[in-house]
Amino acid sequence: MSNIAFIGLGNMGAPMAHNLVKAGHTVTVYDLSQAAVARLVEAGAHPASSASAALDNAEIVISMLPASAHVESLYLGENGILAQIPEGTLIIDCSTIAPQVARKVALAAAAKGLSMIDAPVSGGTAGAAAGTLTFIVGGSSAALELARPVLSAMGKNIFHAGDYGAGQTAKICNNMLLGVLMAGTSEALALGVANGLDPKVLSDIMSKSSGRNWALEVYNPYPGVMENVPASKHYAGGFGVDLMLKDLGLAAEAALTARASIPLGELARNLYSLHSQGGSGSLDFSSILKLIAPANLDKPS
């Protein structure tokens, strides 16, 4: 069992930290939200008054933050904690950020004698709560092996994508595809409903046909088709529109850097941008159906 500092207790970070507590690790938590900290303390974690305070006796530091700027500020900012982390400590950043920022922070950590991996996750809030996340890791094989027991307490699948930043690149590619699939699935379901089909019947048909995909089978965007998904809870919770928009923006940045073409990724980014500008940024990303076919959603979910 390890002494772990966990920084960032949002929709993903909180259940991940909770699973570490359940696995028997000593977990000290910090977040700007005192309510989030209090909930983890009730579950058995220890509170910290600041990110720096969370480092006391920590053997492993885990961060789960919203964006590149937050990660860079946490580790390399004016009061960055990288300067305070003792040599030999393992750092795991589970945020989804720009690959170049992940490399920048990891190289700064390595220069200080610290092992660091970028380990963004896939699996959503349900996977975070169930401890079934997929970790997509960038960094050295040695650092990954040090992290593996801790990652295994929070997830089921661990992939080594390559060196520093590779985990972020793989995650960005995955989420770009997810954004495209969710928009396409929503469009297909809306077309069927507009022509008189039952969305559940159509979903069942497509899930056994060549159009099957994760968004259709596991995270259906049409209200009432599946229980316990955001679409059947007025699109509350889950993975926010603004977070998907952020990831699609990262994909666009990566495409520019590599001079790659992502026409569908750019289209999905534009759709999510319009949806966010319309006031839906805090809804789950499956609510893109509301932008594509608002007339189909007149009846309550």
Side-chain angles (χ1 to χ4, degrees):
M1 296 297 104
S2 301
N3 290 323
I4 299 171
F6 201 110
I7 300 168
L9 303 174
N11 289 339
M12 295 293 292
M16 291 167 65
H18 192 186
N19 282 330
L20 291 173
V21 172
K22 288 196 294 184
H25 296 284
T26 299
V27 184
T28 301
V29 296
Y30 173 70
D31 192 272
L32 293 176
S33 168
Q34 291 302 307
V37 171
R39 286 191 290 270
L40 262 295
V41 170
E42 288 180 6
H46 302 278
S49 58
S50 66
S52 297
L55 302 177
D56 290 346
N57 301 314
E59 301 163 287
I60 299 172
V61 177
I62 301 176
S63 50
M64 185 56 150
L65 301 173
S68 298
H70 303 101
V71 173
E72 190 166 4
S73 177
L74 172 68
Y75 289 105
L76 303 178
E78 184 177 349
N79 298 307
I81 65 172
L82 195 62
Q84 305 166 48
I85 300 175
E87 185 176 345
T89 304
L90 173 65
I91 304 171
I92 305 171
D93 180 45
C94 295
S95 318
T96 298
I97 61 174
Q100 62 268 28
V101 174
R103 286 191 288 270
K104 178 181 179 180
V105 177
L107 288 170
K112 197 175 177 297
L114 301 168
S115 297
M116 183 171 187
I117 59 172
D118 48 287
V121 303
S122 180
T125 53
T132 58
L133 291 171
T134 293
F135 287 92
I136 310 165
V137 177
S140 71
S141 296
L144 170 56
E145 291 312 308
L146 289 173
R148 192 176 292 276
V150 173
L151 298 181
S152 295
M154 299 182 287
K156 273 193 170 182
N157 303 298
I158 302 170
F159 293 100
H160 190 194
D163 206 349
Y164 302 138
Q168 300 295 347
T169 299
K171 172 65 187 295
I172 289 167
C173 292
N174 178 79
N175 277 24
M176 182 184 75
L177 178 59
L178 177 58
V180 170
L181 288 173
M182 185 58 78
T185 297
S186 296
E187 190 171 294
L189 288 172
L191 175 62
V193 171
N195 282 276
L197 294 182
D198 182 300
K200 188 176 190 315
V201 171
L202 180 57
S203 293
D204 289 342
I205 291 169
M206 292 195 296
S207 68
K208 299 298 187 294
S209 305
S210 55
R212 65 183 302 188
N213 65 76
W214 186 89
L216 179 71
E217 297 179 82
V218 178
Y219 211 84
N220 198 287
Y222 211 96
V225 171
M226 287 182 176
E227 296 180 2
N228 300 319
V229 296
S232 294
K233 301 175 182 177
H234 304 285
Y235 298 106
F239 184 63
V241 166
D242 283 345
L243 290 175
M244 174 55 80
L245 180 58
K246 179 205 76 172
D247 289 357
L248 291 167
L250 290 173
E253 290 176 17
L256 284 171
T257 300
R259 302 188 68 181
S261 177
I262 54 164
L264 293 179
E266 285 282 17
L267 177 57
R269 188 184 69 81
N270 288 333
L271 288 171
Y272 276 98
S273 180
L274 287 171
H275 194 34
S276 177
Q277 291 172 36
S280 298
S282 63
L283 298 180
D284 180 74
F285 81 108
S286 62
S287 67
I288 194 68
L289 182 67
K290 291 166 67 71
L291 176 73
I292 292 170
N296 289 1
L297 299 174
D298 288 339
K299 56 185 179 180
S301 60

